[in-house]
Amino acid sequence: MKSALVIGASRGIGRRIALTLSKNNYQVGVAAKTTDHTLELPGTIYSVTNEIETSGRTALALPCNVRDEQQIQNAIQSCLEAFGGLDFVVYNAGAILWKKVLDTPVKRFDLMQEVNVRGAYIMIQKVLPYFLEKKAGKILLVCPPIYSRFFKGKVPYSVGKVGMTVLVHGLATELENTGVSISGLWPATAIESHVTTVKNVPQELMRKSSIFADACLHIAEETNLSLINGKALIDEDFLRAKGVTDFSAYRCDPDKEPPRMMPKAFPSLLVEGDSLTSKL
């Protein structure tokens, strides 16, 4: 049986990723900071683990504050010991504040960088030696393609999220021909979550988190690493490439297809003479 670690899995998209992987025969490490249920933050690593175990599958609850390097190391090591290995790691932890530079205090800026790009970097550093030794393993970061419109009105947040995408594009060159891959994934539309519930986002504007989780599963199962290594993927577009044509089941409002918030095409970051194997 394969195994996966999902960091940021106590609610929303992360919870759904963990449940979807479990239903498809993955042992799952459910990692997040939230260990106590509150009205402000419903769902914990224990509630998600219980959902998985109730269905007769294997899961491991892992307290993990991603600002603490040792806790990330502990989560990975716990999975290796409990599952006898790891095949797939997902970094879904995130700190969000969509405000302009002058409206974002330095303390909040630091928090976003620590949770988003720094936490992802630590996870990669801790799991990569194991993946490289066994010459197999997939890393997935929840981060966007790089394009100018993404930055507008939320530069402080974008710094960390795009930094994660740089990790995806850059590390891919180091992983070529190793059997290990790194990918980014981002939603094409708004996705239901605790945040959208709190903000009362209309149902017709969103898709269910299952679309993102299904795209994660396809990445986890992909055998042609050239299709995913170093790629900043969009959930809908990747699923279409895998043969999915009907997305109506993902609608939050069954009668309305939500508007796409991502561009249909993204600019190439390659320059003349560039390639995956370029060293400079």
Side-chain angles (χ1 to χ4, degrees):
M1 180 178 284
K2 292 183 179 180
S3 57
L5 167 64
V6 183
I7 296 181
S10 56
R11 66 184 64 84
I13 290 174
R15 167 184 168 272
R16 181 53 58 187
I17 293 171
L19 293 175
T20 297
L21 290 171
S22 173
K23 289 178 181 178
N24 287 273
N25 299 315
Y26 279 79
Q27 303 171 98
V28 182
V30 179
K33 182 180 177 181
T34 307
T35 56
D36 296 309
H37 175 90
T38 65
L39 292 178
E40 292 77 17
L41 291 174
T44 71
I45 56 173
Y46 302 113
S47 62
V48 176
T49 299
N50 184 62
E51 283 187 81
I52 294 173
E53 292 179 336
T54 299
S55 63
R57 300 180 175 92
T58 302
L60 185 65
L62 300 165
C64 184
N65 181 344
V66 296
R67 300 174 77 184
D68 186 325
E69 178 180 353
Q70 188 59 52
Q71 289 192 36
I72 296 177
Q73 172 71 69
N74 291 345
I76 292 170
Q77 189 60 39
S78 294
C79 287
L80 292 175
E81 293 174 359
F83 304 149
L86 261 178
D87 302 285
F88 187 42
V89 294
V90 179
Y91 193 84
N92 178 62
I96 303 173
L97 182 66
W98 284 15
K99 289 189 176 182
K100 298 178 180 179
V101 170
L102 289 179
D103 298 324
T104 304
V106 171
K107 184 176 181 180
R108 191 59 182 268
F109 176 82
D110 288 344
L111 171 66
M112 287 191 287
Q113 309 322 309
E114 289 178 11
V115 171
N116 297 338
V117 67
R118 182 178 181 270
Y121 185 84
I122 293 170
M123 184 194 76
I124 291 167
Q125 271 211 335
K126 301 302 182 183
V127 78
L128 200 52
Y130 170 75
F131 278 174
L132 290 173
E133 182 179 1
K134 76 167 190 171
K135 299 180 180 179
K138 296 185 179 74
I139 299 167
L140 178 62
L141 309 183
V142 177
C143 59
I146 299 175
Y147 66 104
S148 61
R149 197 181 77 201
F150 184 82
F151 316 145
K152 294 182 179 180
K154 53 181 184 298
V155 170
Y157 171 75
S158 300
V159 168
K161 297 307 289 188
V162 169
M164 295 169 70
T165 313
V166 171
L167 280 172
V168 170
H169 292 321
L171 184 57
T173 62
E174 300 176 33
L175 297 180
E176 189 178 17
N177 299 319
T178 64
V180 183
S181 68
I182 183 168
S183 313
L185 186 65
W186 199 250
T189 70
I191 299 291
E192 63 174 353
S193 68
H194 175 62
V195 173
T196 60
T197 299
V198 170
K199 294 185 176 295
N200 294 313
V201 177
Q203 292 286 293
E204 64 265 24
L205 299 181
M206 299 184 295
R207 281 179 172 153
K208 299 174 183 178
S209 56
S210 53
I211 185 173
F212 200 87
D214 285 352
C216 286
L217 177 63
H218 275 282
I219 291 170
E221 296 289 287
E222 182 59 61
T223 57
N224 185 352
L225 298 189
S226 67
L227 297 178
I228 59 173
N229 187 39
K231 304 297 174 58
L233 304 166
I234 296 294
D235 57 0
E236 177 184 334
D237 300 343
F238 187 67
L239 288 174
R240 286 189 185 280
K242 302 306 294 183
V244 179
T245 57
D246 184 1
F247 291 82
S248 60
Y250 296 123
R251 298 172 183 169
C252 287
D253 182 330
D255 298 320
K256 294 183 179 180
E257 187 66 28
R260 183 179 173 111
M261 64 180 183
M262 290 290 105
K264 290 185 178 180
F266 297 90
S268 172
L269 300 178
L270 299 178
V271 296
E272 185 178 355
D274 199 2
S275 71
L276 187 62
T277 56
S278 297
K279 303 301 182 183
L280 298 177

